[in-house]
Amino acid sequence: MNCPRCGAPSSVLETRAQDNGAIARRRECTLKHRFTTYEIHSVPYKRASAPKFIAQFMRTVKARVQMRQRDMLLYKRLHEGATKLATEFNISAKRVYAAARKGRKEWAAQQQAKSER
Ligand SMILES: [Zn+2]
């Protein structure tokens, strides 16, 4: 299967069986773009009829796409928040993440101490 971004050939990194009997393959093209393909039987799988199976399969794919969109939105919000904090603390957005990582331990310890009081 060729890469949907650049058209280069790809190879399979990982293959996973889905609950609905479909197969998901994580692929990488020669230019290192990663994408997932889904493979389903052309004949009905187990006892489900083909249209029923395809409908179920499409629901799974849609749910997955929605989750990706949610994750993208979460990152967008996080990025916007970091940008705001960078302005507020007069540091670069990159340093916001680094500083927050450093501060996390102390903050967690403080929260722990508060809850034990
Ligand atoms: Zn590619």
Side-chain angles (χ1 to χ4, degrees), residues 2-10 28-35:
N2 290 349
C3 173
R5 276 177 71 184
C6 71
S10 69
E28 187 180 77
C29 83
T30 50
L31 295 177
K32 305 279 179 203
H33 300 133
R34 288 188 175 187
F35 59 100

Side-chain angles (χ1 to χ4, degrees), residues 5 20 23 25 36 38 40 42 44 49 51 53 57-58 63 65-66 72 74 82-83 92 98 104-105 113 115:
R5 276 177 71 184
N20 59 12
I23 302 285
R25 296 191 203 278
T36 303
Y38 295 97
I40 56 171
S42 63
S49 68
F53 178 78
F57 176 74
M58 289 312 292
V65 168
Q66 275 170 357
M72 207 169 71
L74 272 169
T83 306
S92 71
R104 187 180 60 185
K105 248 187 187 167
S115 70

Side-chain angles (χ1 to χ4, degrees), residues 6-98:
C6 71
S10 69
S11 54
V12 175
L13 299 173
E14 191 192 353
T15 299
R16 276 174 292 122
Q18 309 286 286
D19 293 339
N20 59 12
I23 302 285
R25 296 191 203 278
R26 195 71 183 139
R27 295 176 161 269
E28 187 180 77
C29 83
T30 50
L31 295 177
K32 305 279 179 203
H33 300 133
R34 288 188 175 187
F35 59 100
T36 303
T37 59
Y38 295 97
E39 194 177 303
I40 56 171
H41 295 86
S42 63
V43 291
Y45 183 71
K46 290 182 181 167
R47 266 166 291 162
S49 68
K52 204 173 149 195
F53 178 78
I54 290 167
Q56 189 194 337
F57 176 74
M58 289 312 292
R59 276 198 296 275
T60 305
V61 170
K62 272 183 194 159
R64 219 159 260 253
V65 168
Q66 275 170 357
M67 209 185 286
R68 288 249 172 112
Q69 283 171 337
R70 183 205 66 185
D71 292 350
M72 207 169 71
L73 186 65
L74 272 169
Y75 179 74
K76 182 178 169 264
R77 295 273 181 82
L78 205 61
H79 178 75
E80 285 167 355
T83 306
K84 258 188 209 165
L85 289 169
T87 307
E88 193 182 326
F89 289 88
N90 197 29
I91 56 173
S92 71
K94 224 179 182 178
R95 286 199 56 208
V96 169
Y97 290 106

